[in-house]
Amino acid sequence: MIRLENVSKKYGDQLAVDSVSLSVNSGEKHVLIGTSGSGKTTLLKMINKIIPKSSGDIFVNDINTDQWQDYLLRRKLGYVIQQIGLFPHYTIRQNISLVPGILKWPDSRVKERTFELISMVGLPERMLDMYPDSLSGGQQQRVGIARALAADPEILLMDEPFGALDPITRAGMQQEFIQLPGIENKTVVLVTHDMMEAALLGDKITVLNKGKVCQSSSLAGLLFRPDSEFVSEFLENQREQLEWLAIPVRMVADQLPLAETDGDYPVVSSSLRLSQLPANGRFLVNESGHKYLATRDECLSLYYQNREEIRTKMSADV
């Protein structure tokens, strides 16, 4: 879907991006993360041809972006930025319908798509005739996502899309984004400086430092088989919470008591991550034909008691 081969960006004598190669598969949620100045936003903008690369090749749908006219490529890509970028003199309706209008969709189809999207991002239809400055930051961000999705692009590029929001709104928007209809099948490249956000949203995470790729893998790969000391240290401050997001309950299931009966307890898969377990009440963990009775607190307690052993097992499984 997207492939970068030895891509570099140079400003004078300074290498902002240094020979980066990576690939993003169709339907993958790929997160770029790193320290400030690591080149993550520059990479995103080079994919979109907002800024030119200095060397290397970028492919979208197996076509070198050098062969794309800039405006045609950008129409194929939804683009969401932290500053939201809504046109202040356009209504919400006009902002959302901008790209379908440029593509000369029939008016009836544009109208239908606009209503569909405003509902999809959880905003009332009455807001369509309002202007951006009448909306809160979180509401504006929802409109920004709706506008990026308007022409139903296969690929969505997102540059710190939730970075300007307060922590509570941000957490809600992250969860809402994951659950948006149609997002599951879209290819997403997302830039963030927040490791927890990367862990929550990313199927694959690329860690950058000083313009170079340090490691590109799943969250479990970064945690349990880091390629460098930099990667390990980058995750260390949030390691406990990140492990909850990466470790499946099957790692502790065999230490739970076997259920004598199914009763009326909900059943969860053993592949469910510790962070996803029901917060309240008891449940059954279905693992290898057996059902184990547990609570979230019991599972977390077993994780703490057997942490080193679990890390070793996870390292072998990655």
Side-chain angles (χ1 to χ4, degrees), residues 41-305:
T41 292
T42 302
L43 276 174
L44 200 72
K45 290 182 176 180
M46 286 192 290
I47 294 172
N48 209 12
K49 296 186 76 173
I50 291 175
I51 60 174
K53 56 187 171 56
S54 299
S55 61
D57 293 293
I58 300 174
F59 299 85
V60 174
N61 291 339
D62 292 324
I63 301 174
N64 195 310
T65 56
D66 290 342
Q67 299 174 24
W68 289 87
Q69 293 188 52
D70 295 3
Y71 74 95
L72 291 176
L73 174 65
R74 290 171 194 154
R75 288 179 186 176
K76 294 281 187 183
L77 308 173
Y79 191 50
V80 185
I81 59 176
Q82 178 177 339
Q83 293 79 12
I84 303 166
L86 300 180
F87 293 108
H89 56 291
Y90 280 15
T91 65
I92 301 308
R93 185 192 309 274
Q94 290 170 321
N95 267 283
I96 293 175
S97 63
L98 182 64
V99 175
I102 292 173
L103 296 176
K104 300 188 184 304
W105 285 19
D107 289 346
S108 60
R109 186 182 175 197
V110 173
K111 183 177 180 180
E112 180 183 356
R113 182 63 172 162
T114 302
F115 280 118
E116 178 185 351
L117 286 165
I118 200 74
S119 174
M120 182 187 296
V121 297
L123 295 176
E125 291 180 5
R126 61 179 173 80
M127 286 187 173
L128 287 172
D129 295 316
M130 298 170 67
Y131 288 87
D133 63 0
S134 300
L135 276 60
S136 69
Q139 290 168 337
Q140 290 184 42
Q141 195 66 63
R142 285 178 170 86
V143 175
I145 292 173
R147 186 178 65 179
L149 294 171
D152 200 21
E154 294 179 83
I155 300 170
L156 194 59
L157 306 179
M158 308 183 76
D159 189 2
E160 303 231 29
F162 314 120
L165 304 177
D166 64 85
I168 294 175
T169 303
R170 180 174 184 152
M173 284 292 294
Q174 291 166 352
Q175 290 293 340
E176 289 173 12
F177 176 73
I178 294 171
Q179 296 166 13
L180 280 178
I183 285 295
E184 181 180 356
N185 297 322
K186 292 195 182 298
T187 303
V188 178
V189 183
L190 184 146
V191 165
T192 184
H193 67 276
D194 183 341
M195 191 60 217
M196 290 301 293
E197 181 169 276
L200 180 65
L201 301 181
D203 301 319
K204 195 170 185 180
I205 302 169
T206 293
V207 179
L208 296 155
N209 185 39
K210 297 180 180 178
K212 290 181 174 289
V213 172
C214 298
Q215 188 169 350
S216 190
S217 74
S218 65
L219 173 62
L222 298 178
L223 282 167
F224 303 110
R225 297 191 70 176
D227 283 350
S228 66
E229 185 176 344
F230 174 84
V231 172
S232 183
E233 290 179 352
F234 190 77
L235 276 58
E236 190 57 37
N237 286 342
Q238 296 172 291
R239 187 175 186 94
E240 182 176 296
Q241 297 96 320
L242 291 170
E243 287 187 354
W244 295 353
L245 288 165
I247 295 173
V249 68
R250 65 178 172 80
M251 286 292 174
V252 300
D254 61 358
Q255 298 180 63
L256 294 165
L258 279 168
E260 296 180 2
T261 64
D262 286 2
D264 294 323
Y265 299 115
V267 180
V268 303
S269 167
S270 62
S271 63
L272 205 66
R273 301 303 189 254
L274 294 177
S275 62
Q276 299 172 313
L277 293 174
N280 300 306
R282 304 187 75 80
F283 52 85
L284 298 174
V285 179
N286 191 3
E287 164 69 358
S288 301
H290 300 291
K291 290 180 180 175
Y292 301 89
L293 189 61
T295 66
R296 183 175 185 270
D297 287 347
E298 287 169 349
C299 292
L300 290 178
S301 177
L302 287 170
Y303 152 75
Y304 285 116
Q305 293 172 33

Side-chain angles (χ1 to χ4, degrees), residues 15-35:
L15 267 175
V17 173
D18 188 357
S19 300
V20 166
S21 295
L22 59 86
S23 61
V24 182
N25 297 323
S26 179
E28 184 175 88
K29 311 302 177 280
H30 196 118
V31 177
L32 305 177
I33 190 168
T35 54

